[in-house]
Amino acid sequence: MADVRTDLKDMKGLSEEDRRTLAEAEALLGPEPETMGFTKNLFWGRFREEMVLPYPQVAADETARCDQLLAELEDYLRNEHPSIQIDQEEEIPTWVIERLFKMGALGCTVPTEYGGLGFGITSYNRVLEMIGKYCGSTAVVVSAHQSIGCKAIMLFGDDEQKQNWLPIVARQNLSAFCLSESNAGCDAGGVETTCELSEDGTHYIINGEKKWSTSGALAAIFTVMCRQDLPNGKKGVTALVCTPDMEGVDIFQKNRSKCGIRGTWQARIRFTNVKVPVSHRLHDEGKGLKVALTCLNYGRCTLSAGMTGGAKRAMDQSIKWAETRYQFRKPLNDKQLVRQRIAHMAALTYAMDAVLFMTTGMLDRGDEDIMVETAICKVFCSEMGWQVVNDAMQIMGGEGYMTENELDRIFRDSRINTIVEGSNDLMWSFIFGYGGKQLGEWMLGMKDNAKSSIFKPAFLGKAIPLGMEVFLGIRRKAPEIKNIHPDLRPYADRLRKLISEFTYQFKQMSKKHDTDMLQRQVPQARLALAAIQLHAWICTLSKLDHDMRNNSNGEEFARDKAAAIHFFDLAELDIEKHFREGYRNADDTMEQAAEAAMKHNDTLPNNLFIIPEKAPEQFRGTGRTPRDEAVKQFPGDKAVHS
């Protein structure tokens, strides 16, 4: 492949803005890993069976330790945890945090030599799923602490840094992650907070402001991402560990009142000439984005675990409601539309579980190329989880909306998951772009080398099959799936054909849109959504294969098997719809309708609406001031931790 591969930035007809965007994305993501991940292979029409079959498992001794913690944790969550109080009062009591530290739930992944439980990623996510069943706010706090807050220290800290800080975060105090800003949310490379090395080289000086730092006002340690002018003349992002007692650190807003996950606190922190010792730097100068993006791989899984737990609880509650709620002298579950929702929930929760723990298994074994898989995990679990909770709410009707029944809290807590850790709309483009980049560059290289290499046998061996696929519509041979339970062979064969069709459709859409494909997010999203459903099908097939070989009895297994088979049908219908819409869609009228709506909106005065605080200069100060007199406020103070 390397002999014909061409950089996408060299495409003819590409605008300078697109070239610059591609260059920035490549700098942000870093070089391609040497080993291509599982989902990237799907874009080529390949099935790397050894990466997904058999379904990943955890060692028996760790599973036993995790089971013991889960039993203690569920007893506490069911009988003592103040979930409704946390939601109503918008604060997690100190005693709850202390209790979670004592149980070890806040130190699951910290190595045992530093006071943690030393769990792998799968066991840790089992804990998050359990917490997510009972309290989304608490799940977010536990996740933010371990998946991003102190994860950077575990992954990139040196021995001294680990000795100094990990015992604190394992058993004593929360940690926070300071990446997002008013102008840098999903754009991790756009941070404006700066750091510069002092003249004597002993410390860095931080200036700037951070936003959305979960538990920032409660944390004893936080990792701060700063833009730095590097000695080579380039700019990079550097990761520094700070403490709130450093001079110049101002937590000027502890939290803001929210729709959901109301018990979590997201701080706004201002840094004014904060001096941070060089010994507090994680990884190398300019390598902070690697730190941030690596941590996000873990955060996207724990977000998914909390969502999966909440979805499962909502499903179980609503199914019980459908059995015991009678209308017109019959239970709700006698109605086919209700049964459709029940089947939908069962199918999606089984698939969510399969995707989540396939991804954590990949992380546990140290797969090198994992960013597409963690992005898919986050998108799939947040989108499907939201659908499950919505189904449950519809089944329970008005009572589902009542606070004491607790479904309303799961409903509100769930919505944020499609936004944070990378907005799903952005993730669709990321999955398309990063998943298909190598294939796209190879296709471009074949095109660019056609004239000079037309008579070379090696070139023809690759060009002829590609040409037959792109110009004659002849699909490549479906990949083999060998080690599958015999009863699952029909579902594996359907999957094989869809993988072959997926790579064909990627090539057709790339040919159809050419350079415009880089800007056309709707066609990108269709292919990304197809890839997501294919990946979910594969994870579900692998999990069901494992269950049939090991747990094939009882009502729970019967439910799961039926749910998985229903998911295959749902996924196939969805994938085919995305392929079909590549050719027959409403994109043109969508563009016209959007343009007309935006032009009309331009006629409405800005002072009727909320305007972003970091909007371009011409818009600042032109919007209306939000009415917050009835909204609970969380003013900051100088928080000093011993």
Side-chain angles (χ1 to χ4, degrees):
M1 291 187 296
D3 56 327
V4 294
R5 186 171 163 182
T6 300
D7 197 307
L8 286 175
K9 297 191 298 298
D10 297 331
M11 287 178 70
K12 296 175 182 177
L14 205 62
S15 70
E16 285 304 314
E17 182 179 355
D18 285 340
R19 293 184 202 280
R20 187 164 54 251
T21 300
L22 283 169
E24 290 173 354
E26 289 175 358
L28 177 67
L29 296 171
E32 293 279 0
E34 291 184 11
T35 302
M36 189 185 297
F38 179 80
T39 306
K40 287 182 182 177
N41 274 282
L42 289 182
F43 279 81
W44 292 78
R46 304 173 187 144
F47 186 86
R48 292 283 305 279
E49 183 168 314
E50 75 281 3
M51 301 181 81
V52 292
L53 285 167
Y55 196 71
Q57 297 298 303
V58 176
D61 59 337
E62 182 177 318
T63 298
R65 290 197 300 124
C66 185
D67 287 345
Q68 185 176 3
L69 172 60
L70 290 174
E72 179 184 3
L73 185 61
E74 184 164 30
D75 181 70
Y76 158 74
L77 290 166
R78 181 182 292 151
N79 299 307
E80 299 179 58
H81 189 69
S83 302
I84 296 178
Q85 175 191 333
I86 287 169
D87 183 63
Q88 295 287 305
E89 298 182 2
E90 302 183 58
E91 181 176 0
I92 297 177
T94 301
W95 70 264
V96 170
I97 301 299
E98 291 173 349
R99 183 71 172 273
L100 292 170
F101 267 121
K102 184 177 180 181
M103 279 190 279
L106 280 162
C108 286
T109 59
V110 178
T112 54
E113 60 264 36
Y114 303 111
L117 297 182
F119 283 173
I121 307 306
T122 297
S123 297
Y124 166 48
N125 277 270
R126 291 181 66 201
V127 171
L128 260 296
E129 183 181 348
M130 175 65 73
I131 297 172
K133 284 185 178 181
Y134 293 91
C135 183
S137 290
T138 305
V140 170
V141 168
V142 174
S143 170
H145 170 61
Q146 293 184 82
S147 301
I148 53 177
C150 62
K151 193 67 179 180
I153 299 170
M154 284 188 273
L155 293 173
F156 296 98
D158 59 32
D159 290 342
E160 184 177 356
Q161 290 169 336
K162 291 177 181 179
Q163 290 285 353
N164 288 339
W165 296 322
L166 289 186
I168 297 172
V169 299
R171 290 290 179 178
Q172 300 173 34
N173 293 107
L174 294 173
S175 56
F177 194 70
C178 300
L179 172 61
S180 295
E181 301 174 2
S182 295
N183 263 355
C186 294
D187 181 11
V191 295
E192 296 174 351
T193 296
T194 64
C195 71
E196 59 177 306
L197 190 62
S198 63
E199 290 186 3
D200 62 6
T202 62
H203 61 272
Y204 294 93
I205 303 169
I206 302 180
N207 283 283
E209 189 176 304
K210 293 294 181 180
K211 186 179 183 181
W212 310 125
S213 296
T214 297
S215 302
L218 309 171
I221 294 169
F222 33 77
T223 305
V224 185
M225 299 297 157
C226 313
R227 181 165 292 280
Q228 182 183 3
D229 291 327
L230 301 174
N232 60 10
K234 296 183 179 179
K235 292 182 181 294
V237 175
T238 296
L240 301 173
V241 175
C242 298
T243 55
D245 58 337
M246 290 178 171
E247 186 175 354
V249 175
D250 178 17
I251 301 172
F252 66 94
Q253 190 175 38
K254 295 178 182 178
N255 185 31
R256 289 167 65 191
S257 190
K258 298 177 291 296
C259 167
I261 56 167
R262 289 163 61 83
T264 66
W265 281 17
Q266 283 75 35
R268 300 192 70 173
I269 307 173
R270 186 176 295 119
F271 300 87
T272 306
N273 296 322
V274 178
K275 296 180 179 179
V276 181
V278 170
S279 61
H280 283 221
R281 188 188 73 228
L282 295 175
H283 206 18
D284 298 330
E285 288 187 336
K287 298 296 185 182
L289 276 180
K290 181 177 182 181
V291 175
L293 293 173
T294 302
C295 290
L296 286 175
N297 283 333
Y298 296 89
R300 287 171 178 154
C301 285
T302 48
L303 176 153
S304 301
M307 179 72 260
T308 300
K312 287 181 177 179
R313 189 176 183 207
M315 174 185 70
D316 289 340
Q317 170 60 59
S318 65
I319 294 175
K320 187 63 69 177
W321 189 270
E323 177 190 3
T324 56
R325 171 75 166 106
Y326 276 60
Q327 284 194 334
F328 306 106
R329 297 176 300 280
K330 291 184 178 181
L332 288 181
N333 64 14
D334 187 59
K335 312 298 182 186
Q336 191 179 31
L337 286 175
V338 173
R339 296 169 71 86
Q340 182 185 44
R341 291 188 185 276
I342 290 172
H344 190 237
M345 291 189 296
L348 295 191
T349 52
Y350 187 85
M352 289 166 65
D353 195 87
V355 170
L356 168 62
F357 291 111
M358 177 68 78
T359 312
T360 62
M362 291 175 171
L363 284 166
D364 274 331
R365 72 186 182 209
D367 284 13
E368 183 184 12
D369 193 4
I370 196 72
M371 290 180 72
V372 176
E373 285 74 17
T374 59
I376 286 177
C377 182
K378 185 267 177 183
V379 171
F380 184 80
C381 290
S382 62
E383 291 283 347
M384 300 304 109
W386 172 247
Q387 290 184 32
V388 169
V389 177
N390 190 62
D391 282 337
M393 180 67 77
Q394 195 67 24
I395 290 172
M396 287 190 66
E399 284 292 341
Y401 228 59
M402 299 299 106
T403 301
E404 67 267 23
N405 292 328
E406 300 194 62
L407 186 60
D408 80 297
R409 191 179 71 250
I410 301 175
F411 186 78
R412 289 183 286 103
D413 289 349
S414 297
R415 188 60 181 86
I416 191 64
N417 292 324
T418 66
I419 299 169
V420 294
E421 303 284 6
S423 165
N424 285 2
D425 288 13
L426 177 69
M427 288 291 98
W428 293 333
S429 290
F430 172 82
I431 291 163
F432 165 82
Y434 198 52
K437 181 175 181 289
Q438 287 166 302
L439 175 56
E441 290 181 335
W442 180 78
M443 290 173 62
L444 180 62
M446 296 295 292
K447 179 181 176 181
D448 289 348
N449 286 274
K451 289 184 179 179
S452 61
S453 305
I454 190 65
F455 296 114
K456 295 180 180 178
F459 178 82
L460 287 174
K462 299 169 184 174
I464 291 174
L466 178 62
M468 292 175 67
E469 194 170 6
V470 173
F471 297 106
L472 299 180
I474 300 174
R475 279 67 166 171
R476 63 176 286 147
K477 183 181 177 182
E480 293 296 322
I481 301 177
K482 298 177 181 177
N483 298 311
I484 198 74
H485 192 285
D487 291 350
L488 297 178
R489 174 55 55 194
Y491 309 105
D493 287 342
R494 286 162 61 187
L495 171 64
R496 294 172 55 236
K497 293 176 182 177
L498 287 170
I499 294 171
S500 176
E501 186 66 19
F502 173 66
T503 189
Y504 170 78
Q505 293 296 339
F506 178 89
K507 293 161 188 170
Q508 289 296 325
M509 291 300 105
S510 298
K511 173 177 171 285
K512 177 180 178 180
H513 297 293
D514 199 27
T515 57
D516 289 344
M517 193 68 173
L518 294 173
Q519 294 294 335
R520 296 180 67 87
Q521 289 184 316
V522 174
Q524 290 177 16
R526 291 187 186 110
L527 288 167
L529 288 164
I532 291 166
Q533 291 287 20
L534 277 175
H535 182 78
W537 182 317
I538 291 160
C539 297
T540 302
L541 185 69
S542 179
K543 178 175 170 57
L544 182 57
D545 174 79
H546 173 269
D547 289 349
M548 291 180 69
R549 296 176 191 274
N550 297 277
N551 309 310
S552 57
N553 55 70
E555 293 298 334
E556 184 176 3
F557 169 75
R559 178 202 64 181
D560 290 346
K561 181 180 178 182
I565 291 172
H566 185 47
F567 176 74
F568 298 147
D569 285 350
L570 294 175
E572 186 166 30
L573 290 169
D574 205 35
I575 292 165
E576 289 174 346
K577 176 177 75 75
H578 295 312
F579 291 160
R580 189 166 57 249
E581 288 179 352
Y583 304 92
R584 189 170 185 269
N585 54 62
D587 292 1
D588 291 341
T589 53
M590 174 273 292
E591 291 284 3
Q592 294 164 10
E595 188 67 26
M598 291 187 292
K599 284 183 177 179
H600 172 262
N601 191 267
D602 282 344
T603 69
L604 305 178
N606 287 357
N607 61 14
L608 295 178
F609 305 99
I610 307 297
I611 302 295
E613 61 180 311
K614 291 291 187 178
E617 193 64 39
Q618 67 267 31
F619 299 117
R620 290 187 194 177
T622 64
R624 75 171 178 88
T625 302
R627 295 181 59 184
D628 62 359
E629 60 270 17
V631 178
K632 185 174 180 178
Q633 300 298 312
F634 300 82
D637 54 30
K638 191 71 176 179
V640 179
H641 295 255
S642 59

